[in-house]
Amino acid sequence: MSDNSELSDADKIRLKRLARLGASTFATPESSSSQTASEALPAPSAVHTPASASSRLLSTPIQTSRPPLPPTSTVTPKPRAIASPAPTSSKPAALNLGKRPSSATPTNESIGPRVVASRQQQSLPHVDYTEWETSKVGEVFSVTLSAFSNDEKHTWTGTFDKLKALIISYCGMTLEDPTMFPQPSEKPVGPAEFLPLLLSVTPDTAPNPDSLTSTTSAGHSSSTSLSGSDLLPFLNDLSVGFPSETMADVITPTLSLFFQEWYKITPTPDLLGPEWRRYLGAVGLLVQVKGIAALLPSLGVWVAPNVTAPKLEWQSLLGPLTRLSVFPREFIWKTYFSNPTDRKKDDIDANKSNLRYTLSALHTSLFNIYNAIVRASPESREGVLDFFSLTLRLNEKRAGMRIVLMKLFEPVMDVQFSKVDSGYYKSSKRLNIDEETKIRGTKEEADEYFNNAMEEMEKELKRMEANRASWAGNSALEAQGEAGIKKIKVSHTLPLPAEAPLDFRMLPEYLFDNIAEYYDFLARYEPDAMDDIDKDTLITFAITFLSPNYVNNPFLKAKLVSILAYGLWPMGYWRRGALFDRLSVHSISTEHLMPTLIRFYIDVEMTGGHTQFWDKFNFRRDISRIFKSMWTNPLHREAFVKARHDDFDQFIRFVNMLMSDTTFHLEESLTGLAKVSSIQAQQANADSWAALPQAEREDLESQVRQAEGSAPFHTQMGLENVKLIRDLTATTPEPFVTAEIVDRLAASLDENLTVLIGPKMAELKVSNPDKFSFKPKELLATIAQIYLNLAKESDFIRAVANDGRSYSKELFEKFARTLKNRAIMTDAEVAEVIAFTQKVEDMRATIKLEDEREIPDEFLDPLLSTLMKDPVILPVSRVVIDRGTIRTVLLSKEVDPFNNVPLKLEECIPDTELKAKIDVWLAESNSTKAVEVMDVDQL
């Protein structure tokens, strides 16, 4: 490279003049410095360079290799001279951009491989980076920089920046209006040239759906086109070069053409097809430029004015992409799942997998697009929210069209008023929820709530938080103030406050319903899709909103129970004890779950729906399934015991309803089986059956079908409930021996025992017991265990002995023989059954003696005319009644039966004086004669 010392004085003077003028224009002489400026500079061209060709200057390739070796020739080339300034002219001289020296390769060189003499390998010499850079710039732009001083280099850089800005300006104006400048007629220009370049970038679905890959479409590949790596720098330069109000005009024509090209795709794009990917890639590239992403919600193409609901997904920028799905309207099933019986399972599974993977990749890309727009500017964020709210408003008549905003539940789950606006629906006018059912709030309460600007609690909280600075340094004030703030805020641990915060109560019900509906579906049909973190969240969510006084709608609560029952129980999640461990991590104990489920078991007795009689059975089935799952863990069993002690009256109500359901299911089951057995016996006699009238045969066949449809449900539910009673009586027998429960329990057990092993046993023999889920041996074993669990309870023994309808000594002796002969229980367990029978017989003798004595009137219960064991005085009517009797009355309606005044059990006054008299009277009749019962060896 030449040195400044080799320049003539005239050349040096010319350089200084050029620097002062600030407009250096260089030519590249091919031979000597004597070449004139007029020879070096071409005449101005009449044809304007199109944007695509000019844009190639925007991309500067990154050099990844070492500088090339210097020439090995010893001949030193002549230094390139600096061109003289062009003569003064009325027209500015045109820039000679991108012209390179002609090739030095001889044209007459023979074709084929050359024979080149081997040279001795030389070590790479060290080349200074600045010198190498100067050399390369000179080669690329065909100019000589060796004579530049530092100031002149800066001048040249400034000139290049101005040139780049001019090119960007030209490109932007061409995109806005291609007719603004003369353009070549043989190719598309403006948006028509630029859109195919954008559409050549597609989202790569593997391994990273967010990455963008450039694929050049056929017909658009050209040496003058921007490559995939050039597009993002070009868009960034475009965004920097144009202010936002002008940039909107620049990008809108391209997006308008984007729509037109999309609608040319027929038929509707297939989710597994390639067409939509190009458009997703184009939008994904545009939103990577913050200046463009911030503009999109304000453009006319974002959403058409006065758009209607059916056209919203077509007349909005992201609508056509967002609507892509696997729903039937896309005819996915016709394309990928037609003729399922004739296709291989692997083929269908492969299609399912491909659809699932592609849909997931699409959703991820769409999320990133919306996320980029939301984060681009506050205005673009509001634009996206306006778009979502418009979608909701246009579809408000479609109950299933809801957008779930999980953040709105945070005021209850973890209130951080600095992050979450708990009064969102008060301040926001985007969504009108006036007519929506609230989670827990009447219309009057909602009107009052939304008419107030700020709740007193929020005012107090903000006031206390603002006073934090005044507490600094005073430990007592700090402790007091922080405690006050903590008290106002809703704690993120359970139990929750007795009443739900007003902000939560006023939320529209569909927010809750959408979450529950989605996870209920997932739990039932794809439980493996949930990992442990998902389960932790669901458990917390379910326990929180199953709590009383938070959600009114029992059907919403039932979905939470269903999530726990179907999503976690089948996988053994509860049985492994993982639930308790996970709850402990979140400061949530099983002791909160048990009373919550027990309370819900009681509340669903009346759902308010027209099918409430059957609804309760379905809801309670899920609750029982959870109880059964948790029972194997000792820690969970302790929670039952604690629930009994914490609220004994509520536990009694639970047991009462459990007993009622069990009695109903067993009766329906055994009655249905007996009916089927009877009709099957008639059908077995072909002659007798054929002799029946056609109408009668059809009626009997209809009864069989009806029984076959309902009996399995009742048989399963009856057995499961009996098993739950067995488990509960093993650890918490007290509720089952209370006055309002014990007689019903004994009568129910005795009656079912009579049906199973008594004279009517033959009526239960059906030809296909498995079809009805009928397991008599398992049912007998469970009933026997309940007897043994309560064998030490004198009140239960008395209740069995008092059952004059079903109990008999002979029945229990046959019961013991059946258990032994059919190997249902061990000999030791059968011996316990015999011992229990002995206790019952002894109690019967005692009762007989008591009956022979006349009971004083003051000892008799006023409603049942039976001996009172625990007399209490009703506070208003002052009537003395047995505690068990009034408890039974209050289970159905909490009023004094003698005056209909509201009454709670805890308001009853124990009559200790009368109880002492009754106990003395009973002690006088305790002498009983033992009744003999056969030994186990005599069975």
Side-chain angles (χ1 to χ4, degrees):
M1 187 171 289
S2 301
D3 189 86
N4 285 346
S5 61
E6 300 179 10
L7 299 175
S8 65
D9 293 337
D11 291 335
K12 294 179 180 179
I13 292 172
R14 281 195 295 272
L15 285 173
K16 292 180 179 179
R17 288 176 179 174
L18 287 172
R20 286 197 298 271
L21 291 173
S24 302
T25 305
F26 305 98
T28 309
E30 292 294 322
S31 56
S32 66
S33 61
S34 60
Q35 186 174 1
T36 64
S38 60
E39 294 172 332
L41 295 174
S45 172
V47 180
H48 291 272
T49 306
S52 60
S54 304
S55 299
R56 290 185 297 141
L57 298 178
L58 301 179
S59 177
T60 303
I62 300 174
Q63 296 288 350
T64 58
S65 60
R66 291 177 176 272
L69 293 175
T72 57
S73 173
T74 59
V75 180
T76 303
K78 292 182 180 180
R80 296 184 177 179
I82 304 301
S84 300
T88 304
S89 173
S90 59
K91 286 186 178 182
L95 294 174
N96 186 12
L97 298 174
K99 180 169 283 188
R100 301 175 181 272
S102 61
S103 175
T105 305
T107 58
N108 59 352
E109 184 175 353
S110 60
I111 300 175
R114 302 186 198 175
V115 179
V116 181
S118 61
R119 299 180 181 178
Q120 183 177 0
Q121 187 173 5
Q122 299 180 1
S123 60
L124 296 175
H126 175 74
V127 180
D128 182 72
Y129 177 78
T130 304
E131 294 180 6
W132 174 84
E133 181 184 44
T134 302
S135 172
K136 293 294 104 182
V137 171
E139 290 179 15
V140 170
F141 290 97
S142 300
V143 295
T144 301
L145 302 177
S146 59
F148 277 19
S149 65
N150 288 335
D151 292 340
E152 290 163 339
K153 289 182 180 180
H154 288 311
T155 300
W156 182 89
T157 302
T159 302
F160 178 78
D161 290 341
K162 291 179 181 178
L163 177 62
K164 181 178 177 181
L166 286 173
I167 295 172
I168 290 297
S169 178
Y170 172 82
C171 293
M173 288 186 286
T174 302
L175 288 174
E176 181 180 353
D177 182 8
T179 65
M180 187 176 297
F181 304 102
Q183 302 285 2
S185 59
E186 68 276 6
K187 61 175 294 185
V189 293
E193 179 186 8
F194 185 55
L195 181 61
L197 301 178
L198 282 177
L199 295 179
S200 68
V201 178
T202 60
D204 183 11
T205 56
N208 181 9
D210 307 331
S211 62
L212 296 174
T213 304
S214 175
T215 58
T216 305
S217 304
H220 300 296
S221 179
S222 170
S223 60
T224 62
S225 297
L226 291 171
S227 65
S229 60
D230 294 329
L231 284 171
L232 187 57
F234 171 71
L235 289 171
N236 280 315
D237 289 335
L238 203 65
S239 176
V240 172
F242 287 86
S244 59
E245 61 274 9
T246 308
M247 187 62 196
D249 297 331
V250 170
I251 200 66
T252 296
T254 301
L255 293 177
S256 297
L257 187 61
F258 175 99
F259 271 113
Q260 298 174 34
E261 293 299 314
W262 174 270
Y263 295 135
K264 292 179 182 178
I265 304 176
T266 54
T268 302
D270 180 4
L271 184 64
L272 292 183
E275 299 91 349
W276 60 268
R277 302 171 192 269
R278 301 192 300 135
Y279 294 84
L280 184 65
V283 179
L285 179 65
L286 290 173
V287 299
Q288 290 189 43
V289 182
K290 188 173 182 179
I292 296 178
L295 284 173
L296 292 180
S298 63
L299 300 179
V301 295
W302 176 250
V303 60
N306 302 320
V307 67
T308 59
K311 295 182 179 180
L312 177 63
E313 58 187 6
W314 296 111
Q315 296 182 358
S316 57
L317 178 63
L318 295 178
L321 292 168
T322 306
R323 79 180 296 273
L324 290 173
S325 68
V326 294
F327 288 116
R329 67 176 183 177
E330 305 294 348
F331 303 105
I332 291 290
W333 66 273
K334 289 184 178 179
T335 306
Y336 300 103
F337 302 106
S338 60
N339 302 320
T341 57
D342 300 332
R343 301 172 65 175
K344 294 182 179 179
K345 183 177 181 297
D346 291 343
D347 178 33
I348 294 179
D349 289 343
N351 286 341
K352 289 169 58 178
S353 178
N354 289 336
L355 286 168
R356 186 181 298 115
Y357 178 82
T358 304
L359 187 63
S360 175
L362 169 64
H363 287 169
T364 301
S365 297
L366 285 173
F367 168 79
N368 290 331
I369 289 172
Y370 280 112
N371 190 45
I373 299 174
V374 165
R375 295 178 181 276
S377 72
E379 293 76 17
S380 62
R381 174 182 178 274
E382 293 300 311
V384 171
L385 291 177
D386 287 340
F387 176 61
F388 289 162
S389 63
L390 173 64
T391 305
L392 286 175
R393 288 198 303 272
L394 292 178
N395 292 276
E396 63 184 358
K397 299 302 181 182
R398 299 173 62 185
M401 185 63 186
R402 303 294 190 194
I403 293 180
V404 179
L405 303 176
M406 281 291 294
K407 294 291 285 184
L408 296 181
F409 282 91
E410 289 191 24
V412 174
M413 299 298 291
D414 186 5
V415 173
Q416 300 291 337
F417 287 99
S418 60
K419 299 179 184 177
V420 179
D421 182 5
S422 58
Y424 172 81
Y425 283 104
K426 266 207 242 180
S427 58
S428 176
K429 301 303 179 185
R430 285 194 176 95
L431 300 179
N432 185 353
I433 61 169
D434 290 346
E435 302 304 320
E436 298 290 345
T437 302
K438 307 307 185 292
I439 287 181
R440 187 175 177 84
T442 64
K443 182 68 166 60
E444 293 73 19
E445 291 174 333
D447 291 342
E448 180 182 357
Y449 170 78
F450 287 111
N451 288 332
N452 295 330
M454 180 76 69
E455 292 300 321
E456 291 301 321
M457 186 179 69
E458 290 188 41
K459 290 181 180 179
E460 180 65 12
L461 177 64
K462 291 180 179 180
R463 185 190 66 79
M464 295 183 70
E465 288 180 333
N467 289 337
R468 271 197 171 110
S470 63
W471 307 336
N474 190 323
S475 58
L477 287 178
E478 286 180 353
Q480 183 179 0
E482 293 299 332
I485 291 177
K486 184 176 181 181
K487 183 177 180 180
I488 293 177
K489 290 185 176 182
V490 179
S491 174
H492 69 281
T493 59
L494 297 178
L496 293 172
E499 278 293 336
L502 190 60
D503 294 327
F504 174 79
R505 290 162 55 192
M506 294 303 136
L507 291 176
E509 195 176 74
Y510 64 76
L511 290 178
F512 189 100
D513 191 27
N514 272 337
I515 300 172
E517 185 76 26
Y518 170 74
Y519 281 105
D520 184 31
F521 177 87
L522 194 66
R524 287 175 181 268
Y525 303 108
E526 201 67 38
D528 292 334
M530 294 186 290
D531 56 23
D532 283 349
I533 296 178
D534 294 329
K535 295 169 188 172
D536 294 342
T537 304
L538 284 176
I539 291 168
T540 305
F541 186 82
I543 296 176
T544 300
F545 297 115
L546 280 173
S547 301
N549 304 323
Y550 272 77
V551 177
N552 276 342
N553 193 333
F555 295 94
L556 295 186
K557 290 186 175 183
K559 290 179 182 177
L560 298 181
V561 174
S562 175
I563 291 170
L564 298 179
Y566 288 92
L568 306 179
W569 174 68
M571 301 170 63
Y573 185 74
W574 303 77
R575 286 193 286 271
R576 292 196 303 268
L579 171 68
F580 187 85
D581 297 336
R582 302 308 302 176
L583 294 181
S584 299
V585 170
H586 297 286
S587 302
I588 302 173
S589 171
T590 316
E591 66 187 50
H592 302 301
L593 178 59
M594 291 306 174
T596 295
L597 290 175
I598 290 172
R599 174 65 181 267
F600 184 56
Y601 193 103
I602 298 169
D603 291 343
V604 297
E605 180 71 18
M606 304 293 290
T607 64
H610 66 283
T611 58
Q612 66 181 8
F613 180 78
W614 297 104
D615 290 336
K616 65 181 180 182
F617 295 135
N618 292 323
F619 298 165
R620 288 171 178 170
R621 176 184 56 191
D622 291 342
I623 298 174
S624 299
R625 186 171 289 166
I626 298 173
F627 286 159
K628 178 183 177 182
S629 303
M630 301 176 69
W631 197 257
T632 57
N633 189 312
L635 296 173
H636 299 327
R637 290 199 298 272
E638 290 179 8
F640 268 97
V641 177
K642 188 175 187 305
R644 177 202 64 188
H645 290 300
D646 289 348
D647 195 338
F648 188 75
D649 290 338
Q650 177 170 283
F651 204 89
I652 290 296
R653 291 169 61 87
F654 159 66
V655 171
N656 177 61
M657 292 179 178
L658 175 61
M659 281 297 310
S660 297
D661 288 359
T662 304
T663 301
F664 174 76
H665 287 309
L666 288 177
E667 182 178 348
E668 289 293 309
S669 168
L670 299 179
T671 301
L673 289 172
K675 181 179 293 184
V676 171
S677 176
S678 173
I679 297 175
Q680 286 180 347
Q682 288 180 272
Q683 292 174 329
N685 189 333
D687 295 337
S688 175
W689 180 257
L692 293 175
Q694 178 69 23
E696 186 175 351
R697 289 201 306 269
E698 291 178 353
D699 180 61
L700 292 174
E701 290 171 349
S702 175
Q703 292 182 38
V704 169
R705 288 193 299 270
Q706 184 177 0
E708 288 176 345
S710 61
F713 171 76
H714 294 297
T715 302
Q716 289 178 337
M717 289 296 295
L719 179 58
E720 292 301 318
N721 281 4
V722 172
K723 287 182 178 179
L724 182 57
I725 294 174
R726 175 199 63 191
D727 295 339
L728 293 175
T729 54
T731 55
T732 56
E734 296 87 350
F736 294 90
V737 294
T738 56
E740 58 268 45
I741 299 295
V742 67
D743 291 330
R744 294 178 56 218
L745 175 60
S748 177
L749 293 174
D750 295 346
E751 182 179 1
N752 286 291
L753 191 60
T754 303
V755 175
L756 290 172
I757 64 172
K760 297 183 179 181
M761 177 179 59
E763 297 178 0
L764 301 179
K765 292 182 179 180
V766 292
S767 58
N768 46 355
D770 291 340
K771 183 177 181 179
F772 297 91
S773 301
F774 184 45
K775 302 174 182 178
K777 293 177 65 175
E778 190 172 350
L779 182 57
L780 278 174
T782 307
I783 291 176
Q785 191 60 54
I786 296 174
Y787 280 121
L788 297 183
N789 289 343
L790 300 176
K792 296 180 180 179
E793 304 294 334
S794 60
D795 288 331
F796 179 70
I797 296 172
R798 175 179 284 271
V800 175
N802 264 328
D803 181 19
R805 178 181 178 183
S806 300
Y807 172 80
S808 69
K809 175 184 173 183
E810 294 74 23
L811 174 67
F812 269 72
E813 289 177 343
K814 185 178 181 180
F815 182 30
R817 286 196 298 270
T818 303
L819 295 175
K820 178 181 179 181
N821 296 338
R822 297 188 181 182
I824 297 175
M825 291 187 118
T826 65
D827 286 349
E829 291 171 326
V830 173
E832 292 183 35
V833 173
I834 294 174
F836 173 74
T837 306
Q838 178 68 63
K839 293 180 181 178
V840 173
E841 288 298 312
D842 291 344
M843 181 60 72
R844 292 190 75 188
T846 301
I847 294 173
K848 184 178 180 180
L849 291 176
E850 291 175 356
D851 290 342
E852 292 176 353
R853 298 181 61 190
E854 184 177 356
I855 303 175
D857 291 340
E858 62 174 330
F859 294 172
L860 290 175
D861 183 271
L863 289 181
L864 303 181
S865 295
T866 56
L867 178 67
M868 292 187 291
K869 299 177 182 178
D870 186 8
V872 294
I873 304 171
L874 303 185
V876 178
S877 64
R878 308 303 295 179
V879 174
V880 179
I881 191 172
D882 189 72
R883 183 184 296 273
T885 303
I886 191 60
R887 192 200 302 269
T888 304
V889 172
L890 296 179
L891 285 176
S892 56
K893 191 174 183 180
E894 291 188 326
V895 296
D896 187 324
F898 300 97
N899 56 16
N900 285 331
V901 174
L903 175 67
K904 293 187 178 297
L905 183 64
E906 55 269 23
E907 297 173 352
C908 299
I909 306 167
D911 192 339
T912 54
E913 182 179 352
L914 180 58
K915 186 177 187 312
K917 294 181 180 180
I918 293 174
D919 290 341
V920 171
W921 183 85
L922 287 173
E924 295 174 354
S925 57
N926 275 341
S927 57
T928 60
K929 178 180 179 182
V931 180
E932 294 183 358
V933 180
M934 71 171 61
D935 189 76
V936 68
D937 294 331
Q938 298 175 322
L939 294 176

